Every structure is written in structure tokens, then in C-alpha cells.
Amino acid sequence: MGPSVADGVRFQLPPTIAVNMDTDEWVEYILNDPHASKALKALGVAVSAVALYKLAGYILRELMLVPKLTILRDVEDLHKLRKGGKIPGRVIICGGSVGGMLAAAVCADHFDSVLIVESEAWANEHGSEIPEKREYRTTSDGYQAIVPPRTRIMQYYVANFLQPPVHMALSRLFPNLPVHLEHFGLGPTLAVMRLKFRYGGIYTEDPYTDMNVKEGVPLTFNISREATETLIRRSLKHSRPNVTFETGTVTGFIRDGDCLGGVTVRTETTETEERGDLVIDATGPTQLGFSKALNAVGFPVSPDLRVEYNPEMKYTTGVWTLPEHVRAKWPVPGGYEIGVILAMTPDAVAGESRAFYLVTMERNQMLITTGGWNGPRAAHSMAEVRAYVQSLDGQEHLPDWTWALFDLLEEHEEECTPFYADAKVGLLNWIRWQMAKDLPKNFVAIGDAIMKLNPVYGQGITKTCIDITTLDAVLRRIPSKLPLPNVSKLFFDREAPRVEGLWDGTRANDYGWPNTIPTEGEDLNHNAFMRTWGRDVIFLGREDPNIHAIWWSVNMMVAPGTDLFSPKIVVKMMRKKWLGW
């Protein structure tokens, strides 16, 4: 046998050894030969170093980063029986939209009773069924629009983009969810999460593509905001008998020492007081606690807690109802199915600021979304949609079936009766409650009352599920007695690191376009590294499906954002930049 080298040490084996020695003799020889022993020790050190590196990485990610930055651990406990019995108290929830109802479902598992104060009477009276009729209007420009019941919610009839944590949370909070899905005919809307991502028009395949598999894969609901809210309300009313609803508007808080003692409610006929042991602000963009209610009862809230910026963007969604004979002619490969058909997002570096999305959802509806940053012209007809897409940078990469679908829709446009919902995105903000001093010990905010994100990214309801899952985890760790400990601090300290990445990531992306008005004290170069790194990871993912799967998992919120800076990605990124391969 020729010379061997290990750790810089060269040694020569006698020529007869390799033939005549059995395993035991090999071991004895190596242990007695000083050169072989040194080489073996060096190999052992190397193997141990690799094992320790992998173990340290596992501990860091699985035992520290995942529990701190995601709800993937806490979500498993939703709706489990509380140890020690329920807290003998009452929760007052200000606002009965999605955030308020999900907070009520959590609190009903921990407290004797929960009261939701909802300002819109229709929601309490008949908001558990999807209405058959809608109210339309014709705009001054001649296209058809719709009048939503939720006046403060943009695009109420447009599809929600519900990342997998939404299904994780709802399926645990409401074990009978499949029954309610079937009640509304929404069963087919539950499907594998697919993004159909086209960055600059170039397609990158999703990690999960088999639509027939619904176990052990990330799932979503392909439904509208209208259907989402109605589904949650029905599920709540059928599962939590200790939740009651009151129609009215919360006008202020009541102080009780270093806590809140309840709220004041204005109804159509009078103003009353509702007493409670925990008060939750789920008033959405109104942000009642921050805007006036806490200051009014002697809990000073610094205006510096709220940071904001304005992306100055707008978009339009056309909602089409597709008759059966139109669906039968569907030119998209695989035929007509519910979910994302195409998601074309703009590449700011290439100078494009406009997006284009095709989505199908419940009730045989299809959505066509156009718009973006830098004031694009709205598309309110199929001809205008075609012209818009033809002008996009990267449209040359779109598949041929895109244009065939346009031909089909234009042919049947009149009978599909599309209506259009225009949205203008203004100020977005984050109230950093975790930095507040001397908050009431029993005050919590949920959803947009903490953070208002750019709706074009479709993260609002997912962020709310992060909030309510975090609240559940906090309540599970406190005694089943009154008075409550400092729930406010426990909640906001635990919630902030889980949503900070959403704020930083979407803000960094919005800063990629020159018309965005940045946060005071920042310019558009702030967090540019994050935007550039994300773009580079997307490009790497086109060549490496494993890297694309990591990027996909982070964006779908089933992995911590730190995964984008894993050694595997960093090494490939550096190699690509320095060596070009």
C-alpha cells in the first residue's frame, strides 16, 4: 500500500499488512503506531467538531430561534384544556372583526366569560351566514363597483392570502371547522399552499405541488375576506357558549388602580359601563388604546411608540364570476382548480414597480389584481388588463396560456359580470407596545391595533394568528386566579420578536421604490441589505430547489427568518458573488 497522509503526518504500512491483518489486528496496530494514532486522533477531532457544529446549530434553531421567532411550538397548545381550571374573570374585547373573534376564542378557553363589543349591528345579527345578494354601484368612470358592509376594510370581497399558520391556528381553535367549511360549501377551498411565484415573470416551482395530499403539508384556505370572517364567526358561536356579543362602540376605558376596570360603551340609545378583568384592543386601524383611551384615564402613551411610513401605492382587483361553460374551457394546465394561478411580483432593481395576480376562490370567483407603486393606472376591463400585462417588464416570460385565458375572459366578459375594488394604501405603522412604560397590567392589543402592514403582501390575518397564539401561550403560564399578573408586559415582550421581521421585511421591500415616504429619520436606503439579500436568495433558488424551499418556508411563516442566513445559503451566496458559480 502506498503512503497515506493525515494531519500532515506521513507513515508507511508494511506491504503484507493490508493482506494478512484482520480487524482486531488493524485496531491493535493503529493504537500502537504513533503516526497512525496521531492521524486517527486528528480525524476524531474533525468528526467531533462537525458533530458539535451540527448540534449547536440544532440547539440554536430548534430550541431558541423557532420558539422565539415563530408560533410553531405554541400553536400546538391552542384549545387544549387549561391546567388548574379557568380564571374566574371576564374579558372585554373592543371590536368584533377577525382579530376580536379569534382573541375571544382564545380567552374563552381561559376565562369564565368573554364579551365582544362590535360596532356594526349586521355582524351580530346575521353575520354568521354569507349573504346571497350584494349591493353594487356604477362609478363615474362607468365600471361596476361594490358596496362592502365593512366600511373600514379594503377589498372586503377580495381573496385573503392566508399563510399556513392560519390553518394551523383555526384547525386547532375550532375542531369542527370542516363541518362549517362544508356548511358554506367551502370544502374545496382547503388546499396545499402554493404561491405560483414569478419574480420578474420567471417562474419558480413551489416545494409542494400535489394537490391531493392534505396531510403533513402546509395548507391554506383560498377564500375571500367575507368568507373568512363569516366562517370564524360561525365557528366561534357554535363552539364557545361563554362568549357574548353586544352591539355598540367602545368610547373609552375605565381605570382601576394600576389596571383597567372595564370600558364605556355607546349604543343607539344610551351609554353604559362594562366591567372586565382583561381588556383587549381589537379596534383595528382605529387603534383605540393608543389614539386616546389609555391617555384619557391616566396611562400616558408616548407618541414615539408608533413608527410609520407611506408606500404611496394603489391596486385594483377585478372579481369575476365564472359560469360552468367558461370553467370547462379553462386553458390553464391541469384545468380549473381553486387557488393561486399566477403571482407576478415586480423586481425593483429592474425598474418595474407593478404586480399582476390571478387567483380563484369560493363561489366560482376569479380575481385579477393589477397595480403597485409609483401610481400605476388602474385596469377596469379585460382590454385594459391585457394592455397592462403586455407593458410589464418580464411579461415575455409568461406562459402562452396566460394570453389564451385573456382571450377566453374577453369573449365572456359581459356574462361574467366583473366588479372592481380599488385600494389605496396610505400610512402603515407599528406601535411598539413592548417599549411602553407603565401600561395597565391587564391591557392587550391585537392585529392592526399593534401593526398595520401593507395589505398587498397578504399578511394581516396571519399576523393576527401570531398574536392570538402568543396570547394563548401567555395565559397558559399564569395562575388561575385574580388579580392577573402583568399580562400586558408578558404578552408584548413575547409578541414583538415574532412580528418584527414582518415589519422590517415589508418595509425594506417598499423602500425599493422611490415614491415611498420613509419613516422619520430614515431614508430609502435603510435596510437595503435585507432587500438585496432577499433578491439574491430568490435568484439562488432558481438554481437550487432546496434554497427556494427555505425562502418559501420563511415567507409562508413556517420557518424563522434567520433561516435565510443559514451557513448553506451564505456559502453559496459568497461563492456566487466571488467565483461566479
Side-chain angles (χ1 to χ4, degrees), residues 161-164 167 187-196 206-222 337-341 360 552 556:
F161 187 70
L162 304 176
Q163 288 88 351
H167 176 263
T189 70
L190 178 63
V192 174
M193 182 77 238
R194 294 186 301 174
L195 189 55
K196 297 294 185 74
D206 291 284
Y208 305 94
T209 57
D210 190 343
M211 294 296 288
N212 296 316
V213 178
K214 294 188 179 181
E215 295 290 339
V217 296
L219 299 177
T220 187
F221 305 100
N222 297 288
E337 57 185 20
I338 293 178
V340 178
I341 303 172
T360 55
W552 187 97
M556 296 302 103

Side-chain angles (χ1 to χ4, degrees), residues 74-135:
D74 288 345
V75 77
E76 298 290 338
D77 292 331
L78 284 176
H79 199 46
K80 286 184 178 178
L81 189 65
R82 177 185 174 84
K83 294 180 180 179
K86 291 187 177 182
I87 301 170
R90 188 189 195 207
V91 180
I92 308 294
I93 298 180
C94 312
S97 190
V98 169
M101 290 188 292
L102 291 179
V106 165
C107 290
D109 291 341
H110 294 277
F111 289 84
D112 281 345
S113 66
V114 179
L115 171 67
I116 297 177
V117 182
E118 163 60 54
S119 61
E120 300 191 42
W122 68 268
N124 290 338
E125 294 168 359
H126 49 80
S128 298
E129 297 293 339
I130 299 176
E132 292 294 328
K133 295 183 179 181
R134 295 170 172 174
E135 182 181 350

Side-chain angles (χ1 to χ4, degrees), residues 512-566:
W513 287 280
N515 63 308
T516 297
I517 302 172
T519 298
E520 184 177 355
E522 297 179 354
D523 59 30
L524 296 182
N525 290 319
H526 185 84
N527 273 358
F529 167 77
M530 182 181 294
R531 181 171 61 251
T532 302
W533 186 268
R535 182 175 186 268
D536 290 344
V537 171
I538 289 173
F539 285 178
L540 279 181
R542 290 175 177 172
E543 304 169 2
D544 186 335
N546 291 325
I547 289 181
H548 179 67
I550 294 172
W551 176 90
W552 187 97
S553 296
V554 169
N555 280 270
M556 296 302 103
M557 302 185 213
V558 292
T562 49
D563 280 7
L564 292 179
F565 300 93
S566 66

Side-chain angles (χ1 to χ4, degrees), residues 1 80 83-84 186 231 282 298 366 376 390 411 433 465 500 533 545 558 565:
M1 182 178 288
K80 286 184 178 178
K83 294 180 180 179
L186 299 177
L231 175 66
M366 185 196 68
Q390 287 174 336
E411 178 185 355
W433 289 109
C465 287
E500 184 175 10
W533 186 268
V558 292
F565 300 93

Side-chain angles (χ1 to χ4, degrees), residues 93 168 246 282 345 379 432 453 460 478 512 570:
I93 298 180
M168 295 177 188
E246 179 179 348
T345 59
R432 297 166 295 176
L453 294 163
I478 65 174
V570 171

Side-chain angles (χ1 to χ4, degrees), residues 346-354 374 393 512-514 535:
D347 180 357
V349 175
E352 182 58 82
S353 62
R354 298 167 297 163
N374 297 338
D393 181 78
W513 287 280
R535 182 175 186 268

